Amino acid sequence: TITTLSPKLCVEFTNKGLMPMLYQYLQSANRSEPNKLMAIAILRVFINLARFDLTAPILWKVTLMVDGLNTIVDLIKIWYGKNEELMCAATTLLWLFAMKPENIEVINSTENLNKKLLYVFTQLDRKKPKKPSAPLSLPGAKADWGLGYRRKVFTHPLYAVTTVCRKLGLVGGGEDLSRVSIASAGHASSRLRSVKIAKHSF
């Protein structure tokens, strides 16, 4: 997309005010092949904007305005096991948002997001996927305008969702990322329930 080419094009795209409309499309897209391809293209645009310091805060603000966090996590939940490219693109965007500690607080306080993520994590982990042929690595977190060699998005679904869950503090950090124990998700779920119970007891 044009947002990969230069800072100027990223800023110009952002100034057009198209982001709410693109989120609206993601929220209304169906499961047809053209809709899936369009959703992937939109997510890649958002990923490019999230990796650039000047446009990332604007994208984050719009995301909160249009309930975009739920949209992103719903895409992860809908497409895991069905379309790895779409699911991994949505997970990459959430991971980029979670680069800032203040964003993590917002994500963790958004109702049902953690529950959905832990559900996807547990389902993927239960399938006991084979270890990938190539070493797992994180996508680039900063814009490189096509000059870098780091991948733009996650390519391994379990690795992607595990990395995000770790970033949000939902699973522990001691496991091998290519094979994370289901027990971690169980412990995280118990921890979340304990927090909710504690909140209601005051």
Side-chain angles (χ1 to χ4, degrees):
T1 66
I2 62 169
T3 52
T4 63
L5 301 178
S6 75
K8 180 181 177 182
L9 290 174
C10 259
V11 172
E12 287 180 355
F13 182 89
T14 302
N15 289 340
K16 291 181 183 296
L18 298 175
M19 288 184 285
M21 182 184 69
L22 295 179
Y23 264 119
Q24 186 177 24
Y25 179 86
L26 289 178
Q27 291 161 352
S28 61
N30 59 41
R31 301 193 181 198
S32 68
E33 194 62 28
N35 274 247
K36 285 187 281 188
L37 293 174
M38 185 62 71
I40 291 169
I42 291 171
L43 288 168
R44 286 185 174 271
V45 168
F46 285 167
I47 287 167
N48 293 333
L49 298 178
R51 294 169 70 223
F52 181 36
D53 290 340
L54 290 182
T55 54
I58 302 170
L59 175 62
W60 174 249
K61 182 178 179 180
V62 171
T63 300
L64 298 184
M65 286 173 53
V66 300
D67 195 27
L69 289 175
N70 269 305
T71 301
I72 295 165
V73 175
D74 284 344
L75 289 172
I76 295 171
K77 189 170 184 287
I78 290 169
W79 292 108
Y80 83 90
K82 300 181 182 73
N83 189 305
E84 289 188 1
E85 185 178 7
L86 204 164
M87 180 267 182
C88 284
T91 310
T92 302
L93 181 58
L94 186 63
W95 174 73
L96 288 169
F97 283 148
M99 289 292 104
K100 292 185 177 295
E102 59 269 28
N103 291 358
I104 291 177
E105 292 183 15
V106 175
I107 294 169
N108 282 338
S109 65
T110 303
E111 188 174 4
N112 291 327
L113 286 195
N114 288 346
K115 182 179 179 181
K116 293 174 187 176
L117 286 171
L118 285 170
Y119 173 82
V120 174
F121 167 79
T122 303
Q123 294 303 310
L124 288 173
D125 190 64
R126 279 177 177 165
K127 294 181 179 180
K128 302 187 184 301
K130 296 179 181 178
K131 286 190 175 182
S133 54
L136 298 172
S137 61
L138 295 173
K142 294 294 182 181
D144 57 20
W145 316 118
L147 301 176
Y149 296 96
R150 297 191 70 172
R151 65 178 78 252
K152 300 295 189 294
V153 298
F154 288 104
T155 56
H156 189 276
L158 178 58
Y159 177 58
V161 76
T162 302
T163 303
V164 170
C165 285
R166 281 190 181 179
K167 192 72 178 173
L168 297 175
L170 303 182
V171 298
E175 305 89 344
D176 177 2
L177 273 179
S178 64
R179 282 294 304 124
V180 182
S181 167
I182 296 175
S184 298
H187 293 157
S189 297
S190 298
R191 188 165 64 250
L192 286 172
R193 286 195 296 270
S194 298
V195 170
K196 290 178 181 178
I197 292 170
K199 285 182 178 178
H200 288 301
S201 64
F202 288 98

